[in-house]
Amino acid sequence: MNAIKTAVAAVTAAASLVAFSPAEAATATANLNVTANVGGACSIGSGAGGGTLNFGTYDPVVVNSALGVDLFGTGSLSVQCTLLSTAVITLGQGLYPAAGSTAAVPLRRMRNAASTDYLSYFLYMDVTRLIAWGNTSGTGLPFLGLGLPVPVQVYGTVPRGQNVPSGTYNDTVVATITF
């Protein structure tokens, strides 16, 4: 019985200390600095159409003859950059640039798959085809990142009046994003 009385007395004493403990407790504070660095990043890839600018059929005899019209085409690239980051998209000269071609003023050509004949073409940043798209920071397309993939249109023209043999003409142009 004495053991029970002693245990009850000990529990009562402990409870009274707990009741008075907050008044006797001390606290201290410190700041925890939290940081992160969000780096600017960009990616560039083929657009919804497979990254192809397909001009279709060039008719050097009637439609696209010297008295005819230029052939137009449109392709796209998919570009994604960190939100509000800036970049420049440039387009290379292609695999078969003409004599006198430069990075700033590319003279691009497609080559006939069955011969060494060429079909000249131009790439532009705008639908009016007034701003040529080159491979320098000054002739590239400025880009502002939205954080999401954005289709970027590439407008092309095959000038009329080119006397070339029939066949399939191809070229590969490297698209680069600098950020």
Side-chain angles (χ1 to χ4, degrees):
M1 187 77 152
N2 278 343
I4 293 175
K5 286 182 184 180
T6 304
V8 169
V11 170
T12 303
S16 67
L17 287 176
V18 171
F20 295 107
S21 291
E24 298 174 14
T27 61
T29 62
N31 293 331
L32 173 65
N33 296 318
V34 180
T35 64
N37 183 30
V38 177
C42 291
S43 66
I44 189 168
S46 299
T52 299
L53 190 159
N54 186 345
F55 285 107
T57 302
Y58 185 82
D59 176 7
V61 176
V62 179
V63 177
N64 306 118
S65 69
L67 299 175
V69 295
D70 294 338
L71 179 62
F72 294 145
T74 303
S76 70
L77 298 166
S78 178
V79 180
Q80 182 174 1
C81 288
T82 305
L83 182 64
L84 300 181
S85 63
T86 58
V88 175
I89 302 167
T90 57
L91 297 178
Q93 298 180 57
L95 297 176
Y96 314 106
S101 180
T102 66
V105 183
L107 303 175
R108 298 178 178 99
R109 302 183 303 175
M110 293 176 272
R111 189 172 118 183
N112 188 321
S115 68
T116 57
D117 293 295
Y118 297 97
L119 186 61
S120 296
Y121 70 99
F122 297 95
L123 299 178
Y124 301 94
M125 297 179 209
D126 62 319
V127 70
T128 61
R129 291 164 171 80
L130 294 175
I131 305 171
W133 202 330
N135 197 27
T136 67
S137 60
T139 60
L141 177 71
F143 185 81
L144 180 64
L146 300 178
L148 303 168
V150 175
V152 174
Q153 298 299 310
V154 180
Y155 303 95
T157 300
V158 178
R160 67 179 181 239
Q162 297 184 63
N163 187 18
V164 294
S166 64
T168 301
Y169 290 77
N170 297 297
D171 191 17
T172 300
V173 174
V174 176
T176 303
I177 188 159
T178 304
F179 54 96

